[in-house]
Amino acid sequence: MSLRAALHLRRFFSTDAAHAPLKLRNMPYRLRHAAVPAARAAVSDYLHSTRCLPSSHADFIVAHSPRSLLSFLAALPAVPGSLPTAELPALLRRHLSFHPLNELPFFLESIGAPAAAGPRSDLMFLADHPSLLGAVAALAHFGFPWSRLGLLFPAVILGVPPELISARLAALEARLHRLPRAAIIAACLTFTSLLERDLSDCEPLVKDLSTTFRGLGPDLGTSNDIDAFSGVCRRMRMFYDAGADIGSIGELAGGSWRMFLELGEKRIAERLWFFKELGMTGKELESFLLSNPRLFYHDFSDVVISVPEYLRRVGLVEDEVDAAVKKHPYVVGKNQLENLPRVLRAMKLERQFLEKISVGGENLRYLSPYFALEDDSYDAEVERAFLDGMDKVKADKKAQHVDSKLEFLKSIGYGENEITTKVIPALHSTKDFLQERFDYLLERGAEYKMLCRILTVFPKVLNQGKDMLNEKLNYLTEELGYSIEYLDCFPAFLCFDLENRVKPRYTMLQWLRDHGLLRKQLAPATVLANSEKRFITTLYLVHPAAPKLWLECFSSRMHMECYLKNISCQNSDNK
């Protein structure tokens, strides 16, 4: 089964059956062991005899829809305890005679599609969808495995007429002559556009597929293993998703065909991410990696480097490295080679490093595990401070997920140093949640090195969920009119309570501005960082009566809502 099909099935069953397995409480215990085989036979006979589906289709649907069969049985009226086992099939057939079956869930489960992928829920019968059965027949006749048709649903099965599916498969087979059907099936399951569009519109992709499949020679060229061809297609798609031009992989791969067969998809994804983080564009990425396939065979995860010593050995300008380390001391210390791109981004040195290695040749040795292992130089004082700090962190009984937090900080560019040990206790979440929030702030436009620097001062920023971060960033940019870059000057903005501090204070200032009492713009650092007493003093300087209004109407979310509600009622009465 292809990876995508497995994901479809896993998602479908994990959301329904895995969490709440159905129990046949409506059926005597002694009949339960015979209920599923009897239901399978009854439903198959119903689909073939009553609904006029081909017997092969009916058998495939029932054989690959265990969850739907259990749902069908669980929905039956209570079965009498005295019912003989031999009469159970007759009872099921009689029930189906008076209660038409909702066929769509059975079909979707059988092809590996999630139930949510179905069309209108008011259509129960497969025959209600004019092209569905014809499309399925055309695909099955060509040799598509039934359980993988979910990869083509609904775009192809419901969106392309059956005769057009057959015509496009025939054209593709003629264009990829001498290749087995398994190759064509795998290509269509991975790149559904081959069936959604005419062959002329997919020529660059077909060219890539033809060149790549033929380049694999006897290892794959004559195979009928759909899984093997699907693996090659998925690896090609990873390059396309990274930005490679469709139609260029075949020409650039050269002697690197075997990577499409031997390398795990995880390793390919890691290398694509590694160089994309360094700033390589899609076209550069494709050309560089396919021209230097040996980079895929290095394992970066277990290789330890030490910053800044490693960067000096690579040959980066020493003054630039020293200046970056002085400005961003949290990167100092040991880290894994796989985290190097984000270490460099945290220092804003990724461009300089990329210029070093992009020339290829001898410079690729900088990414070799052997190059890193040759250098055992590191700052012993930095390491000692780190180890002492980690001992203190782990000695705290309240400490949780310490290793997970350390792994997260190293993955974003922090090294094993004292600063890292001071950040860890302030983080209150797991690696996955911390990474999700960090990436979200990047998506919103925060500069990478700025965000790393913020975490050294206000690590609690990442203790908030994405929704809260979104609300605060929206208020900063939309209501107050500041850009995300303002966080570099005042990162504490993300730490203040939005409802009980930020909004009340700014609503008060807006009221003073609307009534002509405040003319100058006060920066968030002035408005929010001051204590309540200092803020009241600021209000008094604007107008002696302002503090009283603040305390009565704006000082908390409750006061502010009551005040705004009264103003709204007064405006309504005036109208």
Side-chain angles (χ1 to χ4, degrees), residues 19 38 76 80 109 232 275 286 309 341 343 389 397 433 509 546 553:
H19 293 311
L76 291 173
E109 184 183 353
V232 174
F275 290 100
E286 168 195 20
E309 291 78 13
V343 171
K397 294 181 179 180
F433 283 117
L509 295 178
C553 301

Side-chain angles (χ1 to χ4, degrees), residues 265-338:
E265 293 170 44
K266 181 182 177 183
R267 175 62 60 81
I268 294 176
E270 288 172 349
R271 289 298 167 272
L272 291 171
W273 175 88
F274 187 93
F275 290 100
K276 203 166 186 178
E277 283 287 302
L278 287 175
M280 274 193 177
T281 63
K283 293 181 181 179
E284 294 171 339
L285 200 64
E286 168 195 20
S287 176
F288 181 74
L289 287 177
L290 291 179
S291 300
N292 300 284
R294 66 180 182 274
L295 289 172
F296 286 101
Y297 293 89
H298 296 322
D299 186 0
F300 294 168
S301 61
D302 296 328
V303 180
V304 177
I305 60 173
S306 181
V307 177
E309 291 78 13
Y310 171 83
L311 301 179
R312 291 175 180 144
R313 287 190 66 223
V314 165
L316 298 189
V317 178
E318 193 160 338
D319 289 343
E320 288 186 358
V321 174
D322 291 342
V325 168
K326 186 176 180 180
K327 192 173 182 180
H328 313 287
Y330 43 82
V331 302
V332 171
K334 292 182 178 180
N335 209 325
Q336 278 68 45
L337 183 60
E338 66 178 349

Side-chain angles (χ1 to χ4, degrees), residues 63-138:
H64 295 89
S65 54
R67 169 67 184 179
S68 297
L69 276 174
L70 286 176
S71 298
F72 163 70
L73 288 169
L76 291 173
V79 177
S82 59
L83 184 75
T85 303
E87 294 184 15
L88 182 59
L91 181 144
L92 296 175
R93 287 194 296 270
R94 187 164 57 252
H95 177 81
L96 287 170
S97 299
F98 296 97
H99 301 85
L101 188 71
N102 187 350
E103 302 165 13
L104 201 57
F106 281 83
F107 173 74
L108 292 177
E109 184 183 353
S110 73
I111 64 173
R120 287 166 43 195
S121 59
D122 59 329
L123 300 179
M124 295 176 51
F125 307 119
L126 299 183
D128 291 337
H129 311 279
S131 64
L132 188 148
L133 291 175
V136 168

